[in-house]
């Protein structure tokens, strides 16, 4: 049976490139989008279906999980790619609007948690389940500085969730890793970033397809460990 991958926020940017790459490697890919009709044309001719998902709403996550259980009834790879940067250009935590932090956490942390919880039963049944969390080097405590505090906090928390989930799945084949795509030309990265979204997708695709002796509970960029 064809392995199945779910990529959140795959209507554009890095998520779109991850979905295309996994389809190219033989996966049946479910690419999620908040506006699926707008996303579908870009995937014509690929082994990709676009399903609706807004991570802010528990009902949206539950609907997608129920559909997944009915058919294809299998999930091998979950890529938690969807993310927001709502405090781009903002310097300090002292002037951070708590609502901006709350809305950022709602997608980048709680959204990832919601969909992971919903997909966990199918991932456990998979022969080689993989969870990949799109984090950022801005989340690294070792290099923590000011700027975009809500985004940084949300991704540091996502890194913590990565470690916790890796521990919880330790007695199963499921591997859970976080990664930084590097600075990429997307809506979040802006037009002046040095990398394409395609280049940014590489490490996520590698972690999605790790062999049985691959790492779990790690943080990577360019297929190499990154400091927490
Ligand atoms: N680009 C970079 O330089 C960079 C660097 C480090 C990490 N990252 C991370 O890489 C990931 C992908 O980012 P990107 O650069 O490709 O940015 P992007 O082009 O802005 O894509 C973000 C994706 O997340 C989706 N999304 C936002 N809110 C959502 C919600 N509530 N529910 C479901 N989906 C939602 C967006 O959908 P809509 O189109 O509907 O808004 C879009 O598909 C993010 O987690 C980001 O933090 C990016």
């Amino acid at each position: 049976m064809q392995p199945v991958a779910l990529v959140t926020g795959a209507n554009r940017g890095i998520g779109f490139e991850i979905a295309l790459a996994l389809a190219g490697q033989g996966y049946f890919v479910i690419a999620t989008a908040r506006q699926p009709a707008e996303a579908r044309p870009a995937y014509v001719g690929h082994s990709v279906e676009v399903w609706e998902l807004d991570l802010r709403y528990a009902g949206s996550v539950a609907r997608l999980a129920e559909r997944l259980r009915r058919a294809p009834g299998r999930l091998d790879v979950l890529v938690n790619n969807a993310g927001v940067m709502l405090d781009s250009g903002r310097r300090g935590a002292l002037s951070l609007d708590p609502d901006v932090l709350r809305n950022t956490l709602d997608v980048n942390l709680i959204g990832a948690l919601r969909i992971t919880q919903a997909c966990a039963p199918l991932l456990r049944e998979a022969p080689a389940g993989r969870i990949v969390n799109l984090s950022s080097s801005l989340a690294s405590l070792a290099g923590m500085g000011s700027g975009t505090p809500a985004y940084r906090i949300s991704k540091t928390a996502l890194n913590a969730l990565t470690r916790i989930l890796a521990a919880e799945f330790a007695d199963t084949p499921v591997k859970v890793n976080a990664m930084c795509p590097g600075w990429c030309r997307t809506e979040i990265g802006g037009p002046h970033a040095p990398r394409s979204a395609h280049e940014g997708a590489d490490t996520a695709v590698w972690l999605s397809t790790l062999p049985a002796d691959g790492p779990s509970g790690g943080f990577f960029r360019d297929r190499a460990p990154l400091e927490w």
Side-chain angles (χ1 to χ4, degrees), residues 6 8 53 55 61 64 78 80 111-120:
L6 179 78
T8 65
L53 176 67
L55 288 166
V61 174
L64 181 133
L78 169 64
N80 284 315
L113 176 65
R114 281 191 183 106
I115 188 71
T116 304
Q117 288 174 334
C119 291

Side-chain angles (χ1 to χ4, degrees), residues 84 100-111 150 153-154 157:
V84 291
V100 170
L101 176 59
R102 195 174 289 119
N103 293 336
T104 305
L105 291 171
D106 201 17
V107 179
N108 293 3
L109 175 67
I110 298 168
I153 291 166
S154 73

Side-chain angles (χ1 to χ4, degrees), residues 37-51:
E38 289 174 17
R40 280 190 188 109
Y43 283 116
V44 169
H46 297 277
S47 176
V48 179
E49 274 188 18
V50 184
W51 292 10

Side-chain angles (χ1 to χ4, degrees), residues 8-15 32-35 53-56 80-84 107-108 134-137 151 155 179-190 193 197:
T8 65
N11 51 304
R12 57 183 162 93
I14 298 164
T32 81
R34 291 194 286 184
Q35 307 290 340
L53 176 67
D54 190 325
L55 288 166
R56 294 172 300 175
N80 284 315
N81 165 80
V84 291
V107 179
N108 293 3
L134 271 279
S135 181
S136 167
S137 55
Y151 184 76
K155 295 294 188 179
M179 54 77 67
C180 171
W183 185 21
C184 302
R185 291 184 297 279
T186 64
E187 205 152 304
I188 285 181

Side-chain angles (χ1 to χ4, degrees), residues 9 17-18 29 44-45 49 57 59 66 124 128 170 175 187 215 222:
E17 295 293 339
I18 294 169
V29 178
V44 169
E49 274 188 18
Y57 304 113
E66 178 51 30
R124 270 183 194 281
K175 297 183 186 300
E187 205 152 304
D222 297 334

Side-chain angles (χ1 to χ4, degrees), residues 49-207:
E49 274 188 18
V50 184
W51 292 10
E52 184 176 341
L53 176 67
D54 190 325
L55 288 166
R56 294 172 300 175
Y57 304 113
S60 178
V61 174
R63 274 192 297 281
L64 181 133
E66 178 51 30
R67 185 175 173 187
L68 191 60
R69 269 191 293 278
R70 283 200 307 271
R74 169 176 180 156
L75 187 65
D76 299 82
V77 175
L78 169 64
V79 184
N80 284 315
N81 165 80
V84 291
M85 182 189 268
L86 302 178
D87 58 348
S88 175
R90 300 281 160 75
R91 292 304 303 168
L94 292 175
S95 58
L96 173 62
D97 179 343
D99 283 338
V100 170
L101 176 59
R102 195 174 289 119
N103 293 336
T104 305
L105 291 171
D106 201 17
V107 179
N108 293 3
L109 175 67
I110 298 168
L113 176 65
R114 281 191 183 106
I115 188 71
T116 304
Q117 288 174 334
C119 291
L122 285 178
L123 286 165
R124 270 183 194 281
E125 287 172 15
R130 302 285 179 263
I131 300 173
V132 182
N133 293 328
L134 271 279
S135 181
S136 167
S137 55
L138 295 175
S140 169
L141 287 171
M144 191 59 69
S146 68
T148 60
Y151 184 76
R152 284 179 185 271
I153 291 166
S154 73
K155 295 294 188 179
T156 305
L158 182 64
N159 281 358
L161 179 63
T162 302
R163 299 283 293 177
I164 292 164
L165 291 172
E168 291 188 17
F169 280 115
D171 61 346
T172 78
V174 179
K175 297 183 186 300
V176 191
N177 289 290
M179 54 77 67
C180 171
W183 185 21
C184 302
R185 291 184 297 279
T186 64
E187 205 152 304
I188 285 181
H192 305 300
R195 290 187 176 188
S196 67
H198 179 76
E199 289 168 310
D202 174 73
T203 297
V205 174
W206 170 67
L207 290 170

